[in-house]
Amino acid sequence: MPQVTDATDGGVLPPFAELVLDLTERIPPGRVMTYGDVAEYLGHGGPRQVGRVMALYGAAVPWWRVIRADGRLLPGHERRALTRYREEGTPLREHADPPRVDLVRARWDGRYPGARTETRKPVRGRE
C-alpha cells in the first residue's frame, strides 16, 4: 500500500473520500474497522477503494483504526501504528510475530454506546 498522505489537490476531496475519512474520524479510540467494514458500512465501494482513499488522504485522520481483515499492521507504518494501539488500549494479539490487532475484541460495528440503532447503520453480522 502507498504511504499515508494528505490531500494534495487544494483540499478538495472526492465525495467517497470524504465519507471514508468522516467515518474513520468517528471510530472510537481502541477500536478498529477493516477496509471492508468501512465499505460495507458506507454501502459503497470495496476494501481496495477504501484502502486507496486512506493511502491518498488518510494522514489527517486516525488511519491506524482502519486495518486489514487479518489484523496485520500497515506495512511501513507498523511501529507508529503499534504505538497508537498501545496508547489507546486497542486489544492486540501480542503473541503473534509481529503483533496484530485482535479483531474479535477491537472491531467496531459503527454504533455508539447508547445510540438508537436506527441512527447508525451497523456492519452486517455484528449487530
Side-chain angles (χ1 to χ4, degrees):
M1 172 179 281
Q3 185 169 336
V4 179
T5 60
D6 283 313
T8 57
D9 57 357
V12 178
L13 295 173
F16 181 66
E18 288 185 24
L19 293 171
V20 169
L21 298 177
D22 178 60
L23 178 58
T24 301
E25 288 180 327
R26 294 191 331 241
I27 299 171
R31 305 298 298 271
V32 299
M33 291 181 94
T34 68
Y35 297 109
D37 291 344
V38 170
E40 185 177 331
Y41 182 94
L42 296 175
H44 185 70
R48 289 178 188 243
Q49 289 82 10
V50 171
R52 182 77 176 146
V53 167
M54 295 303 293
L56 292 175
Y57 311 111
V61 298
W63 52 267
W64 58 92
R65 296 181 191 156
V66 180
I67 65 170
R68 298 168 48 121
D70 63 5
R72 287 191 298 173
L73 309 185
L74 181 63
H77 301 278
E78 296 93 345
R79 192 174 312 167
R80 290 190 312 149
L82 197 54
T83 298
R84 298 288 188 147
Y85 295 138
R86 288 181 174 143
E87 288 173 354
E88 294 183 355
T90 306
L92 298 171
R93 293 174 50 210
E94 296 275 359
H95 62 279
D97 186 27
R100 296 179 182 211
V101 172
D102 184 341
L103 280 170
V104 171
R105 294 180 11 218
R107 191 175 235 157
W108 186 57
D109 68 0
R111 285 189 264 172
Y112 289 92
R116 297 188 335 244
T117 55
E118 65 272 10
T119 62
R120 300 273 185 229
K121 178 182 172 189
V123 175
R124 190 169 14 118
R126 292 173 191 73
E127 301 172 77

